[in-house]
Amino acid sequence: MAEPQSVITQVSAEQGLPPVMQEQGQDFLDDDSLIHLNIQENHYYITRDQLMSLPESLLLCLFPSGVFMDRTGQVITNLTSQDEVYVGNFPPDCFEYIMENYVRAQEDLINFPVDEIFDRGQTAHEPSRFFGFASPSSMPSSSSNSEAEILHEKPSLIVLREDLDYYCVPVQTIAYPEDASEDQKMELNENFIAQVKLAAGSYLSSQTSVFQGLRSSNRLKRPVGGASHEAPGKLGPAEQHLKDMLCSSGFHDGSFWGNRAQEPGKTVISSLSLCRLMNETTQAFRNRYEEAKRNYEDRAEALRAHSESPSLTPLVSHTSQSTDMKRKSRLSSLADNVRSRSVSRTRSGSRQRQDVSPTLYELVPKPDINSKLLLFWKKPARKCWWGEEELKLELKLYGKYDAATGTLLLLPEGPIVTIEVPVNLHIRRVWTLELSVVGVE
């Protein structure tokens, strides 16, 4: 399909994805072979394993047709390291944002394997050393406990993507020159609509809050008589449940999109956020563990020094001590001996416990990870909803504005007028949520 040349063109219908991309080139490339990606004339080199370890929701954005194509749009059937895979409808800065997060996660997987650097006090799976893939021995069992434990062993990312397309309905009276032909009127009107859509796109692109769109649904319960910007309304049960799950897994109420951009020539804005799951693989957790370990060692050293310090009991002469012992009854002496042996055993047991290093979760609480995230592991889920806004957009156009009648006269040339045009903005949002676990195929 040819790329639209005008911003007036709305989003096109999605085409089905043939499941051939992962097999394409598999017989011709080794796992460590480089793939040359040309993303809008920005060149990147990535191994096949690195590319195929990305989640399905991101691969669909990079290759919407499901195949590798060259610059001319021809399918590459025999992919080699000399071929150039052309990607024309994906922002390069978004691709760099993706690779930055995944490279960091894969470095943590290789350099800081959880089951090797931590004593978790439990039997764990052998960590994989494959870059983006797992060896068969590292695969979890089919039990839910083993699957949930994967979220503590491997670097994981929550992939949240928003595809937004909008429709503008200007509430503005338009007039044309008396001598304008029908073609000129159509051209003036198209230019006016294009300016409205560009201004609306800039307005929406500046809204970088993740959950702002979730609060703009037409299905929200708003107070009677309250404006949409004054009363955000109450989230429905499904929306609130989704937000709670995300906020308990790394997002927060003030989270921003990691990348947000409008597609050239379209009224489509794509946003992406990659949120690292706060488990045992993160640097923040390792810092907490090191701090807790230092505090424990400092306390143990202080107790050891205190137990080895000289006794401060005053010296008593041998004569007086013998006299005191004679005064004790036989029963009192026996009780003293029992107490002495009991204290000795207690101190000995305390020293033995101090010699045993505590396990990981005795030093740092085990991260509380929402197990419902497993429902989105390798299974992207989508949520679609509509929203509506009434706003005024500032435009600069050739024309004249009659404040008395509220009419805007559009002209092909002449003075530039700055006017605030009231617009009804209809917004369709599609969220795609997926959990990506690095190191597990």
Side-chain angles (χ1 to χ4, degrees), residues 233-252:
K234 182 179 179 181
L235 293 176
E239 289 79 8
Q240 188 64 49
H241 178 74
L242 174 60
K243 181 184 176 183
D244 292 343
M245 183 185 67
L246 292 175
C247 289
S248 66
S249 304
F251 286 87
H252 53 85

Side-chain angles (χ1 to χ4, degrees), residues 392-417:
K392 292 184 177 181
L393 299 175
E394 185 176 287
L395 304 180
K396 293 184 178 181
L397 299 164
Y398 291 123
K400 295 180 181 179
Y401 178 69
D402 188 346
T405 61
T407 301
L408 174 64
L409 175 62
L410 298 177
L411 299 173
E413 57 183 11
I416 297 178
V417 61

Side-chain angles (χ1 to χ4, degrees), residues 167-174 189 192-197 391 393 395 421-426:
Y167 305 82
C168 302
V169 181
V171 187
Q172 176 66 52
T173 304
I174 301 296
N189 185 69
F192 170 71
I193 295 296
Q195 294 298 321
V196 170
K197 292 186 175 183
L391 68 156
L393 299 175
L395 304 180
V421 176
V423 176
N424 288 334
L425 200 59
H426 301 271

Side-chain angles (χ1 to χ4, degrees), residues 11-134:
V11 62
S12 58
E14 295 183 359
Q15 299 178 352
L17 175 68
V20 299
M21 189 189 66
Q22 294 195 13
E23 288 78 12
Q24 186 183 19
Q26 188 168 3
D27 297 333
F28 310 101
L29 280 176
D30 297 330
D31 290 340
D32 58 349
S33 296
L34 290 178
I35 298 177
H36 179 192
L37 294 180
N38 182 345
I39 303 179
Q40 297 185 9
E41 301 306 328
N42 292 268
H43 299 269
Y44 305 94
Y45 293 87
I46 183 173
T47 67
R48 182 184 179 279
D49 271 1
Q50 287 176 312
L51 181 62
M52 293 308 168
S53 64
L54 297 180
E56 176 186 339
S57 56
L58 296 182
L59 290 175
L60 286 171
C61 298
L62 282 166
F63 310 100
S65 59
V67 292
F68 296 131
M69 292 186 177
D70 60 16
R71 184 184 294 272
T72 63
Q74 299 297 317
V75 176
I76 303 175
T77 57
N78 188 1
L79 184 63
T80 67
S81 58
Q82 304 301 319
D83 291 314
E84 180 183 86
V85 180
Y86 188 75
V87 180
N89 295 320
F90 196 83
D93 56 343
C94 186
F95 179 75
E96 295 176 5
Y97 169 70
I98 293 171
M99 295 311 301
E100 178 183 350
N101 282 272
Y102 271 87
V103 167
R104 186 183 303 116
Q106 289 167 336
E107 288 177 348
D108 286 342
L109 173 69
I110 295 175
N111 298 327
F112 304 99
V114 170
D115 293 326
E116 292 184 14
I117 65 174
F118 295 137
D119 175 17
R120 299 198 295 159
Q122 59 188 36
T123 302
H125 303 292
E126 180 69 20
S128 170
R129 290 308 183 93
F130 286 84
F131 194 63
F133 288 92

Side-chain angles (χ1 to χ4, degrees), residues 49 80 223 275 288 369 374:
D49 271 1
T80 67
C275 181
R288 291 198 302 270
I369 298 177
L374 290 170

Side-chain angles (χ1 to χ4, degrees), residues 26 76 147 157 250 300 326 349:
Q26 188 168 3
I76 303 175
E147 290 181 348
L157 295 99
K326 293 179 179 179

